[in-house]
Amino acid sequence: MERASARPVTRRPLVTLLTAAALAASGLTALTSAARAADADLARNGGFESALDGWTCTAGTTVTSPVHGGTAALKATPAGADNARCAQTVSVKPDSQYTLSGYVQGTYVYLGASGTGTTDVSTWAQSAPDWKQLTTTFRTGPSTTKVTIYTHGWYGTGAYHADDISLTGPGGETGQPPAVPGGLKTGSVTSSSVALSWSPVPGATGYAVYRDGTRVSTVTGTSTTVSGLTPSTAYSFQVTAVNDAGESARSATVTATTAQRPDDGGGSSGLPAHALVGYLHASFANGSGYTRMADVPDSWDVIDLAFGEPTSVTSGDIRFERCPVTECPNVESDAEFKAAIKAKQAAGKKVLISIGGQNGQVQLTTAAARDTFVSSVSAIIDEYGLDGLDIDFEGHSLSLNADDTDFKNPKTPVVVNLISAVKTLKAKYGERFVLTMAPETFFVQLGHQYYGTGKWGGQDPRAGAYLPVIHALRDDLTLLHVQDYNSGPIMGLDNQYHSMGGADFHIAMTDMLLTGFPVAGDASNVFPPLRPDQVAIGMPASTQAGNGHVSPAEVTKTLNCLTKKTDCGSYATHGTWPALRGLMTWSINWDRYANWEFQKNFDAYFG
């Protein structure tokens, strides 16, 4: 808590000009009109009439205005660490001549081709307030069968538009799409997931999985688990096979009904239908003052003890030290503290140890550190009789290795070891173990635009780094309450940036968690939605508690929009979630300092 979100690194443009003389010297002369007429346009969906079908974009969408031809065009918005590249791979013939052309609007818009086998080419417009045609030519190498064509802008220079992109030349050998997969069947079914498997298809390079007619994931193997489902709900599933030539027809349909969630009123964790979560400054004092456990009002359903911290960044050895008398003159004794915890639990409240915070950097780089983490956290839970664990890793605790690009199959040690450690703790303490997480938006919703270092490198490796942890633990997760504060602007599902300061930010950020979102702009790689009972909204309790504080009226608007679809303002949510679990705040101490304004508003709303 209480740290400003880091931002992706910023790069500066390095512009390379391809002059006509350079093209001529390379032998990349234009085709005659007669030759172009005889060749085919190989670009798929070059007019973007079928949304982004055929294109892979880091930050793009389609718009109906402005357009050059047809009814749609590409709009892509570069950012500080991303040039908003859209690309597709096309089958070509070796040792053949091609012309790449397209229309663009904007500042610093590029059109190019890579993987040509000779000289990769690009052309660009420094400023195109109106539609401007860009054209370049190239010749493929003697063994080149595929070329990637692309368009992109430049870092932080604003949105650009592109339309009617064509690649003219002789078509390559595209082959045939694979056959329809057979043998689709369901496996293990839980309250929130269904396991699927099917028979392999010769020539397939991957498989697309459909849930109720909507594509939800793409995998390379012949099995997967579809998660993020609603308990006691029937779903239908199909699968297709894909390769470079295209996608097969869909398989036969199988159906499955998810299991009933235990103790459905509040989940197996025993929480009420709507819960108030707060952090208690138990190991330090600040301007808000120390609050004794016994003095925490009954409105608080989950009390997170802040903080357990490591003896060193990579040790995994977590220690919880209570605030000393010299810093907190009114601190209670250990015996009084433990007795107050038991009294809270007897009243149905949950008390957790929160690991990390602003100063507690935790990097489980080795299996030994993972095991030490499990044993030391267990010792804290056992000593104080706690109900579970809150993961509040911030700063540089989690980041992704450059080759770790799939949130569903992470391989970075600090991520893999954390997942393993938490699963071990969950197995040790059983179903009623309460697991919560409090990541910053940088580590979750920012993953919609950026994930790790990115396909072309240069991004902050921490971007979206919580996504593999949340995804792997979603069946064990009690609550995710992202810190909707101390955050930079974040792009929502409407492809617009949202900033702190009002209900709009909380609505857009929460809608992403409850709807699911493409990771790094890849529509075929979707982070599945969480159940509404797994989601609470993190807000500062007062203006002193953190950047992004909003008034009680804005908190009420947020809840109205998400649970009743009223007071939504300009943002259109993708659903209505009356089962949204509730609110989290930093912190109980700061709310007491502000005369319990946050708590009173929650009590009045959920009554």
Side-chain angles (χ1 to χ4, degrees):
M1 302 290 178
E2 294 237 69
R3 67 178 296 114
S5 291
R7 291 177 173 82
V9 296
T10 301
R11 298 186 289 186
R12 300 298 181 189
L14 175 61
V15 179
T16 301
L17 301 179
L18 284 172
T19 65
L23 289 172
S26 301
L28 303 179
T29 56
L31 294 174
T32 67
S33 298
R36 284 197 298 269
D39 290 329
D41 181 3
L42 307 179
R44 177 179 172 181
N45 188 30
F48 300 96
E49 304 300 318
S50 300
L52 296 179
D53 180 45
W55 296 91
T56 298
C57 301
T58 60
T61 186
T62 53
V63 295
T64 57
S65 179
V67 298
H68 176 263
T71 60
L74 169 71
K75 178 182 179 181
T77 306
D82 176 58
N83 61 10
R85 172 176 164 131
C86 283
Q88 69 169 267
T89 300
V90 182
S91 294
V92 295
K93 283 188 175 181
D95 197 24
S96 300
Q97 195 79 13
Y98 292 87
T99 297
L100 176 63
S101 177
Y103 291 84
V104 300
Q105 275 192 26
T107 303
Y108 292 116
V109 193
Y110 293 74
L111 179 69
S114 61
T116 64
T118 56
T119 301
D120 291 350
V121 297
S122 69
T123 181
W124 65 291
Q126 181 174 356
S127 178
D130 298 314
W131 288 110
K132 178 177 182 179
Q133 186 178 27
L134 298 178
T135 301
T136 186
T137 61
F138 62 89
R139 191 170 189 86
T140 53
S143 60
T144 301
T145 58
K146 294 184 184 300
V147 168
T148 297
I149 60 175
Y150 62 85
T151 182
H152 68 73
W154 200 256
Y155 306 92
T157 57
Y160 72 88
H161 294 82
D163 200 4
D164 295 333
I165 296 174
S166 66
L167 179 66
T168 306
E173 297 295 330
T174 60
Q176 295 292 324
V180 178
L184 179 62
K185 60 183 179 180
T186 61
S188 174
V189 178
T190 71
S191 61
S192 60
S193 66
V194 174
L196 301 171
S197 63
W198 54 90
S199 302
V201 176
T205 57
Y207 301 89
V209 179
Y210 290 80
R211 182 191 69 210
D212 295 335
T214 300
R215 185 168 174 166
V216 293
S217 66
T218 302
V219 298
T220 56
T222 57
S223 64
T224 191
T225 297
V226 180
S227 54
L229 307 179
T230 302
S232 304
T233 302
Y235 293 93
S236 63
F237 302 94
Q238 295 169 294
V239 66
T240 64
V242 296
N243 63 14
D244 290 341
E247 183 176 0
S248 73
R250 298 182 189 182
S251 70
T253 301
V254 298
T255 60
T257 299
T258 50
Q260 181 178 355
R261 182 172 172 82
D263 186 19
D264 231 7
S268 60
S269 63
L271 293 177
H274 300 292
L276 181 61
V277 182
Y279 287 79
L280 185 67
H281 308 177
S283 59
F284 60 93
N286 58 16
S288 64
Y290 184 81
T291 300
R292 295 162 62 99
M293 175 65 72
D295 295 334
V296 176
D298 289 340
S299 296
W300 300 91
D301 300 296
V302 179
I303 303 168
D304 292 322
L305 303 180
F307 288 106
E309 299 181 357
T311 55
S312 69
V313 173
T314 59
S315 70
D317 188 6
I318 307 300
R319 304 296 174 89
F320 173 59
E321 304 291 342
R322 300 195 53 239
C323 192
V325 175
T326 53
E327 189 176 351
C328 303
N330 59 324
V331 65
E332 66 269 58
S333 67
D334 280 353
E336 290 171 328
F337 185 69
K338 293 176 181 178
I341 290 174
K342 288 184 178 179
K344 292 295 180 187
Q345 292 168 328
K349 313 304 178 184
K350 306 299 178 182
V351 185
L352 316 180
I353 180 64
S354 180
I355 307 298
Q358 178 176 344
N359 299 322
Q361 306 295 296
V362 182
Q363 297 175 1
L364 304 182
T365 56
T366 64
R370 175 200 63 196
D371 295 342
T372 301
F373 181 88
V374 171
S375 61
S376 60
V377 171
S378 296
I380 296 169
I381 291 173
D382 293 344
E383 178 179 356
Y384 292 95
L386 304 179
D387 296 287
L389 169 66
D390 172 68
I391 301 173
D392 185 16
F393 284 15
E394 300 181 18
H396 290 269
S397 292
L398 291 181
S399 63
L400 298 166
N401 290 350
D403 63 345
D404 197 346
T405 59
D406 182 4
F407 76 90
K408 297 174 184 176
N409 298 286
K411 49 188 176 182
T412 304
V414 294
V415 172
V416 174
N417 288 332
L418 175 61
I419 293 168
S420 175
V422 175
K423 282 188 174 291
T424 301
L425 288 166
K426 175 75 174 184
K428 175 178 180 178
Y429 290 103
E431 283 300 313
R432 300 193 73 81
F433 182 77
V434 178
L435 173 63
T436 66
M437 300 182 194
E440 296 164 288
T441 56
F442 187 92
F443 297 95
V444 184
Q445 288 95 336
L446 187 67
H448 176 38
Q449 274 189 287
Y450 311 107
Y451 187 71
T453 58
K455 293 180 180 179
W456 299 280
Q459 295 174 189
D460 193 316
R462 298 171 298 165
Y466 248 93
L467 294 180
V469 179
I470 298 167
H471 186 67
L473 296 171
R474 62 172 59 236
D475 288 342
D476 302 312
L477 181 64
T478 308
L479 278 178
L480 176 71
H481 32 66
V482 176
Q483 301 176 37
D484 284 1
Y485 46 92
N486 296 337
S487 171
I490 303 290
M491 180 177 285
L493 292 176
D494 57 353
N495 290 320
Q496 302 297 314
Y497 284 98
H498 298 268
S499 300
M500 299 184 302
D504 172 83
F505 186 71
H506 299 294
I507 292 167
M509 295 302 98
T510 308
D511 182 58
M512 293 178 72
L513 302 176
L514 297 173
T515 303
F517 55 88
V519 175
D522 185 352
S524 66
N525 189 32
V526 175
F527 179 78
L530 294 166
R531 301 189 315 269
D533 66 278
Q534 288 179 298
V535 176
I537 309 170
M539 302 177 173
S542 67
T543 55
Q544 299 91 339
N547 295 322
H549 173 262
V550 296
S551 68
E554 293 299 301
V555 176
T556 297
K557 285 181 182 178
T558 301
L559 294 172
N560 280 343
C561 178
L562 294 168
T563 65
K564 302 174 183 178
K565 217 173 182 68
T566 61
D567 284 344
C568 288
S570 61
Y571 184 87
T573 61
H574 293 75
T576 307
W577 302 278
L580 178 75
R581 183 65 79 177
L583 301 177
M584 174 275 280
T585 194
W586 177 264
S587 61
I588 294 173
N589 303 62
W590 280 116
D591 196 36
R592 180 184 184 184
Y593 184 87
N595 196 31
W596 303 113
E597 179 183 78
F598 195 87
Q599 172 203 303
K600 290 175 181 177
N601 192 54
F602 177 89
D603 289 344
Y605 191 87
F606 288 111

